[in-house]
Amino acid sequence: MPTPDESLSTSILAIMYFGEVVFAVSGALTAARYRMDIVGYVMVGTVTGIGGGTVRDLLLGRTVWWTEDPTELLLCIAASLITFFFIRHDISHRRGMIWADALGLSVFGVVGCYISLEFGSPFVIAVVMGMITATGGGVIRDVLTNNVPIIISSGQPYATVALLGSLCYATLRYLEVPEIPSEVIACGAAFALRACAIVFDIQTGPPGEFIRFGKPTQDASTSEDANP
């Protein structure tokens, strides 16, 4: 029985593997901040890498793909172990890691949407599942480490990036645009949004601060509260 990955284009499949490694490393680095042992590294790193796709398959009532082909599970475990043994300092905020994460996020939204459409999901559900595929692992990671999930905290667009890529892909498929151009355009749109957010430090916030460039200036009342 073919696995979902076998029907993906070679380019998307390669970048998807790359994205899973990046997400697994980011999860393992989170474990490092909490001084977890090797089991903690592997658990947090692995769920960050494949958690989103797992949630997607469970919600769709579909066999979780890595139970049929454990390649990606083993890839995430290996990335977590390498982080444990060889990465001795936090690289999660370095430019290379940030851009790699942006690429993985952009591709995962498209891959999740593709798999959902192939499974027979309606347009809207496929778009949402694309976003869940790209962000679900990070949510599980944050819950396990007792942090506010990044997709609901104020900051640069993140879930919106995955949602844009997924929506673009589903729309292009609906318009019967060929597969490869659809993948390239959708991934490019999502990556462009994330790139703009990184380069121009675009922030989204609460009511009254829907979008801004750069971090907000701390107001007087906040300063007083912070310094009684």
Side-chain angles (χ1 to χ4, degrees):
M1 180 178 179
T3 61
D5 291 349
E6 291 178 358
S7 56
L8 296 176
S9 66
T10 303
S11 58
I12 291 295
L13 189 60
I15 299 176
M16 185 178 72
Y17 285 161
F18 173 73
E20 285 171 339
V21 169
V22 170
F23 285 164
V25 170
S26 73
L29 290 172
T30 302
R33 296 192 196 109
Y34 291 90
R35 299 184 61 81
M36 295 183 183
D37 61 10
I38 190 170
V39 175
Y41 269 72
V42 171
M43 181 177 69
V44 177
T46 301
V47 299
T48 305
I50 63 174
T54 300
V55 173
R56 175 203 65 223
D57 287 351
L58 291 174
L59 289 174
L60 290 176
R62 180 175 179 273
T63 301
V64 178
W65 88 101
W66 54 262
T67 62
E68 296 179 340
D69 180 2
T71 301
E72 292 166 67
L73 173 66
L74 295 174
L75 189 64
C76 290
I77 291 174
S80 301
L81 290 174
I82 290 171
T83 304
F84 180 84
F85 286 111
F86 298 105
I87 299 180
R88 303 296 184 183
H89 51 278
D90 188 359
I91 64 171
S92 59
H93 298 295
R94 293 197 175 185
R95 302 295 288 181
M97 190 71 182
I98 292 172
W99 286 106
D101 178 85
L103 182 58
L105 181 71
S106 304
V107 171
F108 275 13
V110 173
V111 171
C113 183
Y114 169 88
I115 291 174
S116 300
L117 288 173
E118 291 297 307
F119 188 68
S121 299
F123 182 97
V124 174
I125 300 302
V127 171
V128 173
M129 289 300 162
M131 182 185 70
I132 288 174
T133 303
T135 62
V139 172
I140 298 173
R141 174 201 63 213
D142 292 339
V143 170
L144 287 175
T145 55
N146 199 30
N147 289 308
V148 178
I150 189 173
I151 66 171
I152 60 173
S153 60
S154 178
Q156 292 181 349
Y158 196 80
T160 307
V161 172
L163 188 61
L164 175 64
S166 183
L167 178 61
C168 284
Y169 179 77
T171 301
L172 292 170
R173 283 286 301 272
Y174 178 78
L175 296 175
E176 299 183 351
V177 175
E179 182 65 31
I180 299 300
S182 296
E183 293 174 353
V184 172
I185 293 171
C187 289
F191 186 77
L193 175 60
R194 184 63 180 145
C196 287
I198 294 170
V199 172
F200 300 107
D201 195 17
I202 299 174
Q203 304 279 326
T204 56
E209 297 180 3
F210 177 72
I211 188 168
R212 60 180 179 266
F213 292 84
K215 295 178 174 57
T217 302
Q218 190 178 44
D219 60 31
S221 61
T222 303
S223 299
E224 291 175 2
D225 291 340
N227 299 284

